[in-house]
Amino acid sequence: MSELTYKLCFYVPESHVEQVKNAVFAAGAGHIGNYDCCAFQVRGEGQFRPLDGSQPFLGQQGQVEVVAEYRVETIVTGAHLHAAISALRLAHPYEEPAIDLFRLEPLPE
């Protein structure tokens, strides 16, 4: 039985995309076969409104902020999952980074 594999997807402002990717890769994510630092990224716009009690990296409380962000997808095995997510959170500038995690099924032979 092969190890569980996950697709880790996160959204990061353009200013920090390389920093966050490098932290996630250093924690063991992004390996596919004989390749490392594997990822897909696409640029778009994210929006959010900081509420009372927040400490936003960008924007002001009560005001909707729209920012250029990248959606980054990479692969991570179960053995590196916690380290990769921890590294992502430490390197990410946002107080509450948006993170999606999908467990992948093995491809049919």
Side-chain angles (χ1 to χ4, degrees):
M1 184 170 178
S2 64
E3 183 176 14
L4 289 177
T5 303
Y6 298 85
K7 180 182 286 189
L8 177 62
C9 175
F10 56 92
Y11 302 81
V12 60
E14 190 170 32
S15 61
H16 287 72
V17 68
E18 293 304 320
Q19 172 183 319
V20 176
K21 283 191 314 185
N22 288 335
V24 170
F25 295 151
H31 287 265
I32 300 175
N34 292 326
Y35 297 85
D36 70 356
C37 298
C38 299
F40 176 80
Q41 64 188 38
V42 62
R43 189 176 186 273
E45 290 184 342
Q47 87 168 39
F48 53 88
R49 179 172 53 197
L51 301 176
D52 290 342
S54 65
Q55 297 179 359
F57 171 73
L58 297 168
Q60 298 178 355
Q61 290 180 351
Q63 302 290 321
V64 173
E65 181 74 19
V66 177
V67 62
E69 293 182 330
Y70 276 88
R71 174 187 167 118
V72 179
E73 298 179 10
T74 190
I75 299 297
V76 61
T77 61
H80 295 101
L81 181 60
H82 293 287
I85 291 174
S86 179
L88 190 162
R89 287 187 171 133
L90 285 171
H92 203 291
Y94 290 173
E95 189 173 21
E96 299 287 343
I99 302 169
D100 299 327
L101 184 65
F102 306 93
R103 189 172 85 186
L104 301 177
E105 295 294 326
L107 294 173
E109 297 287 323

XYZ file of all heavy atoms in Angstrom:
849
model
N 0.849 -1.188 0.000
C 0.000 0.000 0.000
C 0.889 1.244 0.000
O 1.819 1.361 0.782
C -0.897 -0.033 1.235
C -1.886 1.075 1.302
S -3.050 0.729 2.646
C -4.027 2.156 2.531
N 0.585 2.174 -0.873
C 1.409 3.372 -0.976
C 0.988 4.408 0.079
O -0.108 4.381 0.610
C 1.294 3.970 -2.380
O -0.031 4.394 -2.615
N 1.911 5.317 0.348
C 1.664 6.370 1.331
C 0.584 7.331 0.835
O 0.480 7.597 -0.361
C 2.977 7.116 1.564
C 2.883 8.183 2.600
C 4.225 8.840 2.879
O 5.166 8.658 2.103
O 4.297 9.539 3.879
N -0.194 7.861 1.766
C -1.200 8.857 1.394
C -0.530 10.086 0.806
O 0.515 10.536 1.284
C -2.020 9.267 2.616
C -2.994 8.236 3.162
C -3.672 8.778 4.415
C -4.028 7.867 2.126
N -1.151 10.614 -0.233
C -0.655 11.816 -0.889
C -1.773 12.850 -0.901
O -2.945 12.511 -1.056
C -0.202 11.512 -2.326
O 0.795 10.491 -2.288
C 0.383 12.740 -2.997
N -1.398 14.108 -0.743
C -2.353 15.201 -0.682
C -1.986 16.280 -1.690
O -0.823 16.455 -2.018
C -2.344 15.836 0.718
C -2.746 14.885 1.806
C -1.804 14.046 2.392
C -4.065 14.825 2.244
C -2.175 13.164 3.390
C -4.440 13.942 3.252
C -3.487 13.118 3.814
O -3.850 12.240 4.809
N -3.002 17.003 -2.141
C -2.775 18.236 -2.892
C -2.989 19.369 -1.906
O -4.049 19.503 -1.298
C -3.732 18.387 -4.066
C -3.480 19.693 -4.841
C -4.448 19.901 -5.981
C -4.089 18.972 -7.112
N -4.864 19.273 -8.331
N -1.963 20.151 -1.734
C -1.993 21.312 -0.854
C -2.159 22.547 -1.725
O -1.369 22.778 -2.646
C -0.685 21.380 -0.052
C -0.490 22.567 0.869
C -1.563 22.605 1.963
C 0.906 22.521 1.487
N -3.188 23.317 -1.450
C -3.491 24.512 -2.232
C -3.567 25.695 -1.265
O -4.193 25.595 -0.211
C -4.820 24.311 -2.950
S -5.398 25.742 -3.847
N -2.924 26.788 -1.625
C -2.982 27.967 -0.775
C -2.952 29.233 -1.628
O -2.570 29.205 -2.794
C -1.844 27.977 0.261
C -0.458 27.870 -0.315
C 0.266 29.008 -0.622
C 0.119 26.635 -0.542
C 1.552 28.910 -1.143
C 1.406 26.521 -1.062
C 2.119 27.666 -1.364
N -3.377 30.312 -1.011
C -3.461 31.607 -1.664
C -2.519 32.554 -0.930
O -2.534 32.620 0.298
C -4.894 32.135 -1.626
C -5.857 31.183 -2.290
C -6.348 30.074 -1.612
C -6.242 31.376 -3.607
C -7.217 29.176 -2.223
C -7.112 30.484 -4.234
C -7.597 29.382 -3.529
O -8.436 28.505 -4.146
N -1.691 33.263 -1.689
C -0.649 34.088 -1.079
C -0.482 35.359 -1.904
O -0.551 35.314 -3.141
C 0.670 33.281 -0.968
C 1.171 32.824 -2.311
C 1.731 34.036 -0.206
N -0.269 36.510 -1.234
C -0.069 37.730 -2.017
C 1.176 37.629 -2.886
O 2.153 36.963 -2.536
C 0.065 38.835 -0.961
C 0.366 38.152 0.315
C -0.172 36.757 0.206
N 1.100 38.286 -4.013
C 2.178 38.254 -5.007
C 3.541 38.558 -4.373
O 4.551 37.956 -4.731
C 1.845 39.268 -6.096
C 2.705 39.231 -7.304
C 2.152 40.109 -8.422
O 1.515 41.142 -8.138
O 2.372 39.743 -9.588
N 3.560 39.445 -3.401
C 4.816 39.859 -2.771
C 5.510 38.739 -1.998
O 6.706 38.817 -1.747
C 4.554 41.026 -1.814
O 3.642 40.629 -0.790
N 4.771 37.679 -1.628
C 5.329 36.622 -0.784
C 5.264 35.226 -1.410
O 5.547 34.235 -0.738
C 4.593 36.598 0.558
C 4.949 37.749 1.439
N 4.523 39.035 1.187
C 5.705 37.804 2.556
C 4.983 39.831 2.128
N 5.713 39.123 2.962
N 4.904 35.130 -2.687
C 4.691 33.811 -3.284
C 5.961 32.954 -3.269
O 5.913 31.768 -2.922
C 4.065 33.917 -4.700
C 5.020 34.524 -5.708
C 3.570 32.556 -5.170
N 7.101 33.507 -3.620
C 8.332 32.703 -3.664
C 8.771 32.301 -2.255
O 9.205 31.166 -2.030
C 9.446 33.454 -4.394
C 9.173 33.648 -5.876
C 8.916 32.344 -6.634
O 9.607 31.340 -6.362
O 8.020 32.333 -7.500
N 8.659 33.209 -1.316
C 9.029 32.930 0.075
C 8.207 31.773 0.644
O 8.747 30.856 1.265
C 8.799 34.190 0.909
C 8.956 34.014 2.395
C 8.646 35.298 3.153
O 9.025 36.380 2.729
N 7.964 35.170 4.269
N 6.899 31.791 0.414
C 6.034 30.740 0.960
C 6.265 29.419 0.231
O 6.367 28.365 0.866
C 4.554 31.174 0.933
C 3.649 30.041 1.416
C 4.338 32.424 1.791
N 6.380 29.454 -1.093
C 6.671 28.215 -1.833
C 7.970 27.589 -1.350
O 8.024 26.375 -1.114
C 6.766 28.479 -3.345
C 5.455 28.656 -4.031
C 5.568 28.645 -5.548
C 6.678 29.500 -6.089
N 6.700 29.583 -7.549
N 9.016 28.382 -1.208
C 10.303 27.838 -0.772
C 10.223 27.211 0.615
O 10.849 26.181 0.871
C 11.381 28.922 -0.833
C 11.759 29.269 -2.252
O 11.615 28.463 -3.167
N 12.235 30.480 -2.456
N 9.450 27.803 1.511
C 9.282 27.242 2.855
C 8.560 25.898 2.795
O 8.956 24.933 3.468
C 8.505 28.217 3.735
N 7.531 25.806 1.965
C 6.769 24.561 1.819
C 7.643 23.480 1.179
O 7.631 22.325 1.619
C 5.478 24.826 1.005
C 4.783 23.551 0.613
C 4.536 25.720 1.806
N 8.416 23.850 0.169
C 9.317 22.885 -0.472
C 10.393 22.403 0.503
O 10.713 21.216 0.547
C 9.983 23.490 -1.711
C 9.039 23.830 -2.838
C 9.336 24.872 -3.705
C 7.860 23.126 -3.038
C 8.498 25.189 -4.761
C 6.999 23.440 -4.078
C 7.317 24.476 -4.940
N 10.941 23.313 1.301
C 11.974 22.938 2.276
C 11.427 21.984 3.332
O 12.178 21.195 3.912
C 12.551 24.188 2.937
N 10.113 22.029 3.553
C 9.469 21.146 4.529
C 9.093 19.789 3.924
O 8.508 18.950 4.612
C 8.230 21.821 5.112
N 9.397 19.571 2.644
C 9.189 18.263 2.035
C 8.078 18.168 1.020
O 7.859 17.101 0.443
N 7.368 19.246 0.743
C 6.311 19.221 -0.273
C 6.919 19.410 -1.660
O 8.065 19.842 -1.800
C 5.282 20.312 -0.003
N 6.137 19.089 -2.695
C 6.541 19.372 -4.064
C 7.352 18.298 -4.754
O 7.939 18.556 -5.797
N 7.374 17.077 -4.201
C 8.121 15.981 -4.827
C 7.190 15.114 -5.670
O 6.180 14.626 -5.179
C 8.777 15.096 -3.766
C 9.952 15.737 -3.111
N 11.246 15.533 -3.532
C 10.027 16.599 -2.078
C 12.066 16.229 -2.771
N 11.348 16.888 -1.883
N 7.546 14.934 -6.928
C 6.838 14.012 -7.819
C 7.903 13.217 -8.551
O 8.660 13.769 -9.366
C 5.932 14.752 -8.822
C 4.872 15.590 -8.093
C 5.263 13.749 -9.772
C 4.014 16.443 -9.015
N 7.998 11.936 -8.235
C 9.010 11.094 -8.867
C 10.403 11.634 -8.618
O 10.787 11.895 -7.486
N 11.166 11.833 -9.687
C 12.535 12.335 -9.597
C 12.620 13.850 -9.739
O 13.629 14.389 -10.189
C 13.408 11.675 -10.668
C 13.612 10.210 -10.383
O 13.697 9.802 -9.237
N 13.674 9.411 -11.436
N 11.546 14.553 -9.359
C 11.485 16.013 -9.455
C 11.120 16.589 -8.095
O 10.391 15.972 -7.322
C 10.435 16.454 -10.479
C 10.748 16.005 -11.878
C 10.374 14.739 -12.314
C 11.424 16.840 -12.757
C 10.678 14.312 -13.600
C 11.725 16.424 -14.050
C 11.347 15.155 -14.460
O 11.645 14.741 -15.730
N 11.627 17.788 -7.819
C 11.190 18.488 -6.623
C 10.796 19.912 -6.998
O 10.866 20.302 -8.168
C 12.239 18.448 -5.506
C 13.474 19.285 -5.781
O 13.602 19.870 -6.875
O 14.336 19.356 -4.889
N 10.319 20.657 -6.027
C 9.829 22.024 -6.229
C 8.706 22.076 -7.270
O 8.555 23.077 -7.988
C 10.958 22.975 -6.615
S 12.242 23.121 -5.355
N 7.898 21.017 -7.341
C 6.797 20.949 -8.298
C 5.593 21.712 -7.756
O 5.184 21.517 -6.607
C 6.398 19.505 -8.556
S 7.705 18.488 -9.258
N 5.033 22.574 -8.579
C 3.853 23.337 -8.196
C 3.178 23.880 -9.443
O 3.786 23.961 -10.508
C 4.229 24.496 -7.271
N 1.934 24.244 -9.285
C 1.197 24.995 -10.298
C 0.727 26.263 -9.613
O 0.308 26.237 -8.451
C -0.016 24.202 -10.808
C -0.842 24.981 -11.777
C -0.463 25.087 -13.098
C -1.993 25.630 -11.357
C -1.214 25.825 -13.992
C -2.754 26.367 -12.245
C -2.367 26.465 -13.570
N 0.825 27.379 -10.326
C 0.360 28.635 -9.740
C -0.344 29.460 -10.794
O -0.008 29.404 -11.977
C 1.513 29.416 -9.122
C 2.570 29.872 -10.100
C 3.776 30.473 -9.403
O 4.194 30.000 -8.355
N 4.344 31.512 -9.989
N -1.316 30.208 -10.336
C -2.059 31.095 -11.225
C -2.362 32.380 -10.461
O -2.651 32.357 -9.268
C -3.347 30.418 -11.760
C -4.310 30.069 -10.654
C -4.013 31.253 -12.826
N -2.244 33.498 -11.153
C -2.470 34.815 -10.536
C -3.938 35.188 -10.632
O -4.586 34.925 -11.640
C -1.612 35.866 -11.246
C -1.599 37.214 -10.559
C -0.629 38.154 -11.291
N -0.470 39.406 -10.602
C -1.267 40.462 -10.769
N -2.280 40.411 -11.598
N -1.042 41.577 -10.097
N -4.431 35.788 -9.593
C -5.811 36.271 -9.561
C -5.959 37.348 -8.506
O -4.973 37.935 -8.066
N -7.189 37.597 -8.118
C -7.464 38.582 -7.081
C -8.186 37.921 -5.924
O -9.119 37.160 -6.124
C -8.337 39.714 -7.629
C -7.640 40.603 -8.606
C -8.503 41.767 -9.049
O -9.741 41.723 -8.871
O -7.944 42.730 -9.582
N -7.724 38.221 -4.737
C -8.412 37.782 -3.532
C -9.034 38.988 -2.860
O -8.599 40.125 -3.067
N -10.070 38.727 -2.065
C -10.659 39.832 -1.315
C -11.013 39.372 0.080
O -11.264 38.191 0.323
C -11.866 40.424 -2.026
C -13.184 39.765 -1.738
C -14.347 40.588 -2.246
O -14.285 41.187 -3.311
N -15.426 40.599 -1.489
N -11.006 40.328 0.999
C -11.343 40.052 2.391
C -11.648 41.373 3.077
O -11.309 42.444 2.584
C -10.187 39.338 3.108
C -8.864 40.041 2.985
C -8.481 41.020 3.887
C -8.010 39.746 1.932
C -7.265 41.678 3.756
C -6.793 40.402 1.797
C -6.424 41.364 2.713
N -12.333 41.273 4.220
C -12.592 42.448 5.046
C -12.148 42.118 6.470
O -12.743 41.261 7.125
C -14.060 42.827 5.036
C -14.354 44.051 5.907
C -15.745 44.563 5.788
N -16.709 43.524 6.025
C -17.988 43.604 5.676
N -18.443 44.680 5.080
N -18.812 42.616 5.932
N -11.108 42.770 6.956
C -10.672 42.543 8.326
C -11.746 43.008 9.321
O -12.292 44.105 9.193
C -9.411 43.405 8.458
C -8.952 43.643 7.047
C -10.205 43.678 6.241
N -12.053 42.151 10.285
C -13.055 42.467 11.300
C -12.390 42.955 12.572
O -11.169 42.892 12.725
C -13.901 41.217 11.589
C -14.642 40.629 10.383
C -15.347 39.343 10.776
C -15.631 41.639 9.810
N -13.203 43.462 13.505
C -12.689 43.911 14.802
C -11.871 42.803 15.446
O -12.266 41.636 15.416
C -13.835 44.304 15.732
C -14.542 45.581 15.294
O -13.965 46.337 14.490
O -15.671 45.814 15.767
N -10.748 43.155 15.998
C -9.870 42.180 16.643
C -8.808 41.607 15.716
O -7.891 40.937 16.173
N -8.932 41.848 14.412
C -7.933 41.342 13.467
C -6.713 42.246 13.460
O -6.769 43.400 13.884
C -8.526 41.251 12.056
O -8.852 42.547 11.582
N -5.616 41.690 12.969
C -4.389 42.448 12.761
C -3.944 42.207 11.325
O -3.027 41.431 11.067
C -3.311 42.006 13.749
C -3.694 42.270 15.183
C -2.639 41.807 16.157
O -1.602 41.261 15.793
N -2.901 42.030 17.425
N -4.593 42.865 10.361
C -4.351 42.549 8.954
C -2.964 42.973 8.469
O -2.456 44.022 8.851
C -5.437 43.331 8.214
C -5.786 44.453 9.134
C -5.589 43.919 10.528
N -2.393 42.115 7.626
C -1.143 42.440 6.928
C -1.395 43.561 5.927
O -0.563 44.439 5.738
C -0.618 41.178 6.226
C 0.540 41.419 5.308
C 1.801 41.692 5.818
C 0.380 41.349 3.937
C 2.880 41.913 4.971
C 1.456 41.561 3.086
C 2.706 41.846 3.601
N -2.557 43.498 5.265
C -2.989 44.498 4.289
C -4.378 44.991 4.665
O -5.181 44.232 5.195
C -3.075 43.889 2.887
C -1.792 43.358 2.270
C -2.109 42.548 1.027
C -0.867 44.516 1.923
N -4.669 46.227 4.358
C -6.011 46.745 4.544
C -6.271 47.257 5.944
O -5.393 47.270 6.802
N -7.524 47.690 6.143
C -7.955 48.258 7.421
C -9.221 47.559 7.874
O -10.033 47.116 7.046
C -8.235 49.750 7.267
C -7.033 50.567 6.853
C -7.391 52.034 6.664
O -8.541 52.428 6.745
N -6.382 52.849 6.395
N -9.408 47.496 9.173
C -10.610 46.877 9.728
C -11.852 47.559 9.158
O -11.914 48.771 9.047
C -10.604 46.967 11.246
C -9.562 46.071 11.869
C -9.546 46.159 13.378
O -10.189 47.008 13.974
N -8.784 45.279 14.015
N -12.821 46.729 8.776
C -14.085 47.225 8.259
C -14.091 47.593 6.795
O -15.137 47.927 6.248
N -12.953 47.519 6.122
C -12.854 47.898 4.707
C -12.515 46.668 3.868
O -11.590 45.930 4.191
C -11.744 48.940 4.507
C -11.922 50.213 5.308
C -13.078 51.055 4.795
O -13.294 51.164 3.581
N -13.831 51.635 5.709
N -13.266 46.462 2.785
C -12.965 45.355 1.874
C -11.666 45.675 1.152
O -11.475 46.776 0.631
C -14.099 45.124 0.864
C -13.703 44.089 -0.183
C -15.371 44.690 1.590
N -10.766 44.700 1.132
C -9.468 44.833 0.465
C -9.409 43.840 -0.685
O -9.787 42.675 -0.524
C -8.347 44.545 1.472
C -6.955 44.662 0.917
C -6.511 46.096 0.699
O -7.094 47.017 1.281
O -5.565 46.280 -0.085
N -8.961 44.285 -1.838
C -8.746 43.418 -2.998
C -7.257 43.454 -3.299
O -6.665 44.532 -3.388
C -9.568 43.883 -4.218
C -9.280 43.007 -5.434
C -11.054 43.872 -3.890
N -6.657 42.262 -3.441
C -5.207 42.191 -3.586
C -4.825 41.141 -4.627
O -5.498 40.125 -4.762
C -4.540 41.892 -2.214
C -4.986 40.564 -1.663
C -3.039 41.956 -2.289
N -3.744 41.418 -5.371
C -3.205 40.440 -6.318
C -2.609 39.288 -5.522
O -1.758 39.490 -4.651
C -2.142 41.075 -7.198
N -3.089 38.088 -5.787
C -2.623 36.893 -5.091
C -2.362 35.781 -6.094
O -2.839 35.825 -7.225
C -3.672 36.395 -4.086
C -3.916 37.315 -2.931
C -4.926 36.757 -1.949
O -5.833 36.008 -2.344
O -4.812 37.089 -0.767
N -1.612 34.793 -5.644
C -1.422 33.571 -6.414
C -2.113 32.422 -5.705
O -2.078 32.327 -4.479
C 0.068 33.235 -6.563
C 0.724 33.969 -7.697
C 1.267 35.223 -7.513
C 0.784 33.405 -8.967
C 1.859 35.904 -8.552
C 1.375 34.072 -10.013
C 1.909 35.318 -9.803
O 2.490 35.984 -10.847
N -2.738 31.559 -6.493
C -3.212 30.270 -6.012
C -2.090 29.306 -6.359
O -1.702 29.183 -7.527
C -4.491 29.848 -6.712
C -4.936 28.437 -6.352
C -6.124 28.002 -7.202
N -6.347 26.578 -7.066
C -7.460 26.045 -6.571
N -8.451 26.825 -6.203
N -7.580 24.743 -6.467
N -1.552 28.632 -5.349
C -0.448 27.703 -5.544
C -0.929 26.310 -5.151
O -1.522 26.129 -4.086
C 0.783 28.097 -4.688
C 1.914 27.102 -4.885
C 1.238 29.509 -5.027
N -0.677 25.335 -6.015
C -1.005 23.934 -5.742
C 0.278 23.126 -5.799
O 1.092 23.312 -6.698
C -1.984 23.395 -6.783
C -3.302 24.116 -6.803
C -4.244 23.568 -7.866
O -3.952 22.502 -8.460
O -5.274 24.208 -8.104
N 0.430 22.229 -4.836
C 1.580 21.340 -4.822
C 1.168 20.016 -4.205
O 0.060 19.866 -3.694
C 2.776 21.982 -4.083
O 3.936 21.186 -4.300
C 2.520 22.158 -2.606
N 2.054 19.049 -4.245
C 1.821 17.708 -3.719
C 2.617 17.546 -2.433
O 3.742 18.036 -2.325
C 2.297 16.651 -4.757
C 1.515 16.793 -6.068
C 2.204 15.253 -4.201
C 0.033 16.534 -5.953
N 2.033 16.822 -1.487
C 2.747 16.523 -0.242
C 2.294 15.156 0.270
O 1.121 14.816 0.192
C 2.539 17.633 0.821
C 1.080 17.786 1.208
C 3.405 17.407 2.038
N 3.240 14.375 0.750
C 2.904 13.068 1.325
C 2.500 13.249 2.776
O 2.808 14.266 3.421
C 4.098 12.097 1.252
O 5.175 12.653 2.008
C 4.519 11.838 -0.189
N 1.837 12.233 3.302
C 1.404 12.270 4.688
C 2.551 12.479 5.659
O 2.398 13.144 6.684
N 3.717 11.935 5.335
C 4.878 12.059 6.210
C 5.355 13.507 6.347
O 5.968 13.866 7.350
C 6.021 11.194 5.684
N 5.076 14.340 5.351
C 5.529 15.730 5.365
C 4.388 16.736 5.538
O 4.630 17.948 5.543
C 6.277 16.048 4.067
C 7.541 15.278 3.914
N 7.636 14.169 3.116
C 8.746 15.432 4.491
C 8.856 13.681 3.198
N 9.550 14.428 4.024
N 3.173 16.237 5.690
C 2.000 17.108 5.694
C 2.042 18.157 6.803
O 1.899 19.358 6.550
C 0.727 16.275 5.797
C -0.580 17.045 5.781
C -0.723 17.843 4.499
C -1.743 16.077 5.951
N 2.229 17.728 8.038
C 2.210 18.682 9.158
C 3.349 19.693 9.051
O 3.154 20.884 9.305
C 2.240 17.943 10.494
C 0.991 17.163 10.751
N -0.206 17.765 11.080
C 0.739 15.837 10.695
C -1.138 16.839 11.233
N -0.594 15.666 10.995
N 4.523 19.238 8.657
C 5.667 20.146 8.511
C 5.411 21.168 7.406
O 5.740 22.356 7.557
C 6.938 19.360 8.220
N 4.818 20.737 6.303
C 4.558 21.645 5.183
C 3.527 22.710 5.561
O 3.699 23.890 5.255
C 4.094 20.867 3.963
N 2.465 22.300 6.246
C 1.438 23.264 6.647
C 1.989 24.224 7.695
O 1.723 25.430 7.661
C 0.168 22.546 7.128
C -0.511 21.862 5.929
C -0.793 23.524 7.804
C -1.697 21.004 6.279
N 2.780 23.719 8.609
C 3.403 24.579 9.615
C 4.329 25.595 8.952
O 4.303 26.795 9.283
C 4.173 23.725 10.621
O 4.797 24.528 11.580
N 5.153 25.150 8.012
C 6.062 26.043 7.295
C 5.287 27.086 6.500
O 5.671 28.270 6.458
C 6.969 25.236 6.371
N 4.197 26.666 5.875
C 3.350 27.586 5.115
C 2.841 28.698 6.036
O 2.950 29.885 5.720
C 2.170 26.808 4.517
C 1.275 27.493 3.501
C 0.481 26.449 2.729
C 0.324 28.486 4.113
N 2.288 28.309 7.178
C 1.738 29.307 8.108
C 2.822 30.253 8.641
O 2.570 31.448 8.813
C 1.024 28.606 9.254
C -0.299 28.005 8.829
C -1.064 27.455 10.010
N -2.415 27.090 9.600
C -2.996 25.950 9.907
N -2.361 25.062 10.659
N -4.224 25.695 9.504
N 4.003 29.722 8.920
C 5.082 30.571 9.442
C 5.597 31.568 8.397
O 5.956 32.694 8.731
C 6.240 29.701 9.935
C 6.001 28.984 11.266
C 7.130 27.993 11.540
C 5.883 29.988 12.401
N 5.647 31.156 7.137
C 6.182 32.008 6.075
C 5.146 32.974 5.497
O 5.506 33.966 4.875
C 6.758 31.145 4.953
N 3.875 32.663 5.686
C 2.788 33.447 5.086
C 2.567 34.737 5.866
O 2.567 34.732 7.086
C 1.509 32.608 5.085
C 0.519 33.023 4.072
N -0.171 34.220 4.161
C 0.085 32.419 2.947
C -0.994 34.319 3.126
N -0.849 33.249 2.375
N 2.371 35.852 5.160
C 2.189 37.118 5.877
C 0.808 37.300 6.512
O 0.650 38.101 7.421
C 2.422 38.172 4.791
C 1.982 37.497 3.532
C 2.396 36.056 3.714
N -0.191 36.565 6.032
C -1.550 36.756 6.542
C -1.744 36.108 7.900
O -1.209 35.025 8.170
C -2.587 36.173 5.584
C -2.763 36.911 4.279
C -3.579 36.377 3.301
C -2.138 38.119 4.006
C -3.772 37.036 2.083
C -2.318 38.770 2.804
C -3.141 38.233 1.847
O -3.330 38.869 0.652
N -2.560 36.728 8.699
C -2.940 36.206 10.014
C -3.705 34.886 9.870
O -3.530 33.977 10.663
C -3.819 37.267 10.683
C -4.160 37.050 12.103
C -4.898 38.249 12.693
O -5.490 39.072 11.949
O -4.887 38.346 13.917
N -4.556 34.792 8.840
C -5.365 33.605 8.566
C -5.232 33.218 7.094
O -6.086 33.550 6.280
C -6.852 33.880 8.880
C -7.149 34.249 10.310
C -7.042 33.078 11.256
O -7.055 31.922 10.785
O -6.919 33.314 12.466
N -4.165 32.517 6.714
C -4.032 32.150 5.293
C -5.116 31.159 4.874
O -5.534 30.308 5.671
C -2.646 31.508 5.213
C -2.266 31.170 6.603
C -3.040 32.060 7.516
N -5.576 31.304 3.645
C -6.557 30.366 3.078
C -5.806 29.143 2.570
O -4.919 29.255 1.721
C -7.335 31.029 1.952
N -6.161 27.971 3.107
C -5.484 26.716 2.769
C -6.537 25.674 2.455
O -7.485 25.497 3.220
C -4.604 26.228 3.942
C -3.565 27.272 4.334
C -3.939 24.895 3.594
C -2.839 26.969 5.631
N -6.381 24.978 1.335
C -7.226 23.837 0.976
C -6.351 22.599 0.958
O -5.191 22.656 0.528
C -7.844 24.001 -0.419
C -8.737 25.217 -0.534
O -9.392 25.573 0.464
O -8.783 25.811 -1.628
N -6.914 21.479 1.393
C -6.174 20.215 1.401
C -7.081 19.125 0.858
O -8.216 18.962 1.319
C -5.731 19.887 2.832
C -4.862 18.654 2.993
C -3.514 18.841 2.306
C -4.666 18.350 4.470
N -6.586 18.380 -0.127
C -7.349 17.312 -0.758
C -6.549 16.013 -0.692
O -5.389 15.986 -1.113
C -7.613 17.630 -2.243
C -8.273 18.960 -2.467
C -7.511 20.089 -2.723
C -9.648 19.083 -2.417
C -8.107 21.322 -2.934
C -10.254 20.311 -2.625
C -9.487 21.427 -2.886
N -7.154 14.967 -0.177
C -6.500 13.663 -0.202
C -6.671 13.093 -1.604
O -7.770 13.078 -2.159
C -7.111 12.724 0.828
C -6.280 11.445 0.956
C -6.739 10.605 2.095
N -7.846 9.794 1.614
C -8.571 9.007 2.389
N -8.359 8.948 3.667
N -9.530 8.301 1.876
N -5.582 12.613 -2.190
C -5.590 12.096 -3.549
C -5.697 10.576 -3.557
O -5.103 9.906 -2.719
C -4.331 12.541 -4.300
C -4.129 14.044 -4.410
C -2.813 14.344 -5.113
C -5.292 14.706 -5.132
N -6.412 10.071 -4.506
C -6.511 8.632 -4.721
C -5.404 8.206 -5.675
O -5.012 8.974 -6.551
C -7.877 8.280 -5.338
C -9.055 8.566 -4.414
C -9.064 7.675 -3.188
O -8.651 6.504 -3.284
O -9.475 8.176 -2.109
N -4.892 6.985 -5.512
C -3.876 6.517 -6.459
C -4.467 6.419 -7.868
O -5.636 6.082 -8.032
C -3.497 5.131 -5.948
C -4.133 4.987 -4.612
C -5.203 6.022 -4.485
N -3.649 6.726 -8.862
C -4.079 6.583 -10.242
C -4.171 5.102 -10.590
O -3.348 4.306 -10.132
C -3.102 7.275 -11.185
C -3.037 8.798 -11.059
C -1.906 9.336 -11.927
C -4.348 9.432 -11.439
N -5.132 4.724 -11.405
C -5.219 3.320 -11.818
C -3.979 2.919 -12.629
O -3.420 3.739 -13.348
C -6.465 3.234 -12.677
C -7.071 4.577 -12.698
C -6.184 5.529 -11.972
N -3.586 1.695 -12.494
C -2.416 1.183 -13.227
C -2.743 1.038 -14.700
O -3.788 0.791 -15.127
C -2.008 -0.183 -12.667
C -1.571 -0.092 -11.231
C -0.218 0.548 -11.028
O 0.685 0.326 -11.859
O -0.065 1.283 -10.051
